Amino acid sequence: MIYRKFQDMELSALGMGAMRLPVIDGKEGQIDEPATQEMVDYAMAHGINYYDTAWGYHEGQSEPVMGRALKKYPRDRFYLASKFPGYDLANMPKVQEIFEKQLERCQVEYFDFYLFHNVCSMNIDAYLDDEQYGVYTYLTEQKRNGRIRHLGFSVHGDIEVTKRFLAAYGKDMEFGQIQLNWVDYDFQDAKSKLALFKEYQIPVWVMEPLRGGRLVSLGDEYIARLKAIRPDESIPGWSFRFLQTIPEVVVTLSGMSDFAQMKENIEIFDTERPLVKEEWDGLIAISEEMLRKNVLPCTACRYCTSYCPQELDIPMLLNLYNEHAFTGGGFIAPMALSRVPKDKRPSACVGCRSCEAVCPQEIKISEAMTRFTELL
């Protein structure tokens, strides 16, 4: 296992994410505990020492299951991370109640790592309103009390949201977790977040290294091209080697859902094989081609918005459409749209096509709005 230095600690470069544990009959809230225990035992035996869970994973069952799975091991043999569930605004006034319950669920007296979860446009104002909700005050107090050893945050919001959060709390953030992979490096502008973290001297934790499995299911043409560049590398291996090439990355979290995935990922992280320039360029070229085929080429010129009788923010909606369509679903677009008034969502498009008449990219915007509505 590769290890990365973090302060006075040696963290396994591969962390076990507990968001996609094996389940029974496809039911998210029914985790297969024997299968999970087998995976945790194998991970512990093969050098993984970082385990990441959260309040809402598996309908609230991830924390207690991981607590039971890790209970058989000495507390100083693993590092446990969980998060405050600010993705639900109803949780904002309940930070103390939730934190105490999380410790109880996980059967620990402290968290090695704890995060403000999912900082985004939906919750940034609430996270920053410490006078009303006190999330920041409470979590920093728990850090002083030793019940949180290291405090950080995860972010799905855009670069401007990230800047706002760091301007307020950056001095207290010891690590930051972002969605980073060889597609989102440009697609979600993760490279700008990397630069911002570097400015604040914040080490990087990675989530969604395989984009929920999307980057494993490549077309035959792309697989052949990658095999021609590095014949002995697996397709999942390309995603992890990409991250090994970025020096700021400390921990890569993989949401492994069965034993075979766990075994394969650990084998990859037995060695460090960062990409050379030719390999990096080849991977980015494939990313660009995939996006061209699946993403509408909106440049946010905003010509369209002046002609929309509904006054829709069309570039913003197309950006979310691209995310949702490329991913094949997911929570990011619905979460962002929850902050948009109903009369400004894709369903409000009346199909007049006035926007299309002035679009330099000749995007069929009305069709995209209809399709987006159907996907949602």
Side-chain angles (χ1 to χ4, degrees):
M1 176 59 61
I2 303 164
Y3 292 91
R4 297 276 189 252
K5 188 79 172 175
F6 173 75
Q7 298 184 18
D8 61 346
M9 310 162 75
E10 293 284 335
L11 303 179
S12 56
L14 175 64
M16 179 178 175
M19 186 175 75
R20 297 187 178 96
L21 298 173
V23 298
I24 298 170
D25 297 330
K27 298 176 181 177
E28 278 298 297
Q30 294 187 19
I31 298 171
D32 186 333
E33 286 205 46
T36 299
Q37 186 70 65
E38 181 185 29
M39 291 171 65
V40 169
D41 291 344
Y42 190 85
M44 290 292 290
H46 289 81
I48 291 180
N49 62 15
Y50 192 99
Y51 297 84
D52 172 273
T53 184
W55 176 261
Y57 291 172
H58 285 284
E59 301 176 2
Q61 295 305 306
S62 176
E63 286 179 330
V65 167
M66 291 302 294
R68 290 191 287 271
L70 290 166
K71 186 67 176 177
K72 64 188 286 188
Y73 296 98
R75 185 64 182 87
D76 60 358
R77 281 202 54 202
F78 62 88
Y79 300 112
L80 181 62
S82 196
K83 316 171 185 74
F84 173 71
Y87 53 81
D88 183 348
L89 294 179
N91 292 330
M92 288 296 178
K94 304 175 184 177
V95 58
Q96 180 174 355
E97 173 190 340
I98 288 173
F99 183 79
E100 296 293 342
K101 185 65 176 177
Q102 288 178 299
L103 290 174
E104 180 184 325
R105 282 178 167 185
C106 294
Q107 301 186 51
V108 294
E109 295 182 352
Y110 64 89
F111 288 111
D112 301 281
F113 296 86
Y114 196 84
L115 298 82
F116 293 78
H117 196 178
N118 188 18
V119 177
C120 63
S121 59
M122 178 189 69
N123 59 28
I124 183 65
D125 292 334
Y127 268 142
L128 298 186
D129 190 349
D130 198 53
E131 184 175 343
Q132 179 174 355
Y133 298 112
V135 176
Y136 165 80
T137 293
Y138 182 80
L139 295 185
T140 51
E141 179 184 355
Q142 300 317 303
K143 185 175 185 302
R144 287 192 297 272
N145 293 340
R147 302 172 86 203
I148 294 173
R149 299 295 172 86
H150 301 283
L151 184 61
F153 71 109
S154 68
V155 58
H156 278 289
D158 62 21
I159 190 67
E160 295 308 317
V161 166
T162 312
K163 286 179 179 178
R164 286 184 63 196
F165 185 84
L166 288 176
Y169 301 146
K171 67 183 185 304
D172 298 299
M173 296 298 104
E174 297 176 83
F175 66 105
Q177 193 164 298
I178 63 173
Q179 180 166 319
L180 174 61
N181 50 65
W182 52 271
V183 168
D184 287 319
Y185 186 74
D186 286 306
F187 186 38
Q188 283 200 4
D189 198 20
K191 62 184 177 184
S192 292
K193 291 177 185 174
L194 284 171
L196 184 62
F197 280 29
K198 190 171 184 178
E199 178 184 332
Y200 278 85
Q201 298 183 314
I202 294 176
V204 175
W205 269 229
V206 169
M207 53 186 166
E208 300 293 354
L210 301 174
R211 221 174 197 276
R214 176 70 173 81
L215 302 185
V216 178
S217 303
L218 302 180
D220 292 341
E221 172 198 351
Y222 298 138
I223 292 174
R225 284 165 58 178
L226 292 176
K227 288 293 184 183
I229 300 172
R230 188 185 274 200
D232 60 341
E233 192 66 76
S234 67
I235 298 304
W238 274 96
S239 292
F240 293 125
R241 304 307 183 192
F242 173 84
L243 296 170
Q244 289 179 1
T245 314
I246 301 172
E248 293 82 10
V249 172
V250 177
V251 175
T252 296
L253 297 169
S254 180
M256 298 164 276
S257 56
D258 59 47
F259 186 81
Q261 291 176 7
M262 170 72 73
K263 189 172 184 295
E264 180 179 25
N265 289 357
I266 286 176
E267 288 174 355
I268 292 168
F269 275 87
D270 274 344
T271 58
E272 192 155 12
R273 298 181 61 195
L275 305 180
V276 298
K277 185 178 185 304
E278 176 192 4
E279 294 167 335
W280 177 284
D281 291 347
L283 200 56
I284 295 299
I286 290 175
S287 170
E288 291 171 349
E289 290 180 30
M290 288 171 60
L291 291 172
R292 278 198 300 271
K293 291 180 179 179
N294 295 282
V295 170
L296 298 174
C298 176
T299 62
C301 68
R302 306 196 72 82
Y303 295 162
C304 55
T305 57
S306 300
Y307 291 84
C308 179
Q310 302 298 91
E311 298 183 344
L312 302 182
D313 187 343
I314 295 171
M316 179 272 290
L317 294 176
L318 290 180
N319 182 55
L320 292 176
Y321 169 86
N322 283 336
E323 165 62 34
H324 207 60
F326 182 80
T327 305
F331 69 92
I332 292 178
M335 179 181 66
L337 286 171
S338 70
R339 293 281 288 175
V340 177
K342 289 185 177 180
D343 63 349
K344 302 300 178 187
R345 296 179 186 177
S347 56
C349 174
V350 295
C352 69
R353 300 184 184 273
S354 297
C355 54
E356 297 175 15
V358 295
C359 177
Q361 306 300 320
E362 300 183 349
I363 299 171
K364 291 181 173 59
I365 297 169
S366 60
E367 293 180 15
M369 293 299 106
T370 299
R371 171 69 174 147
F372 198 6
T373 302
E374 291 171 352
L375 288 173
L376 292 167

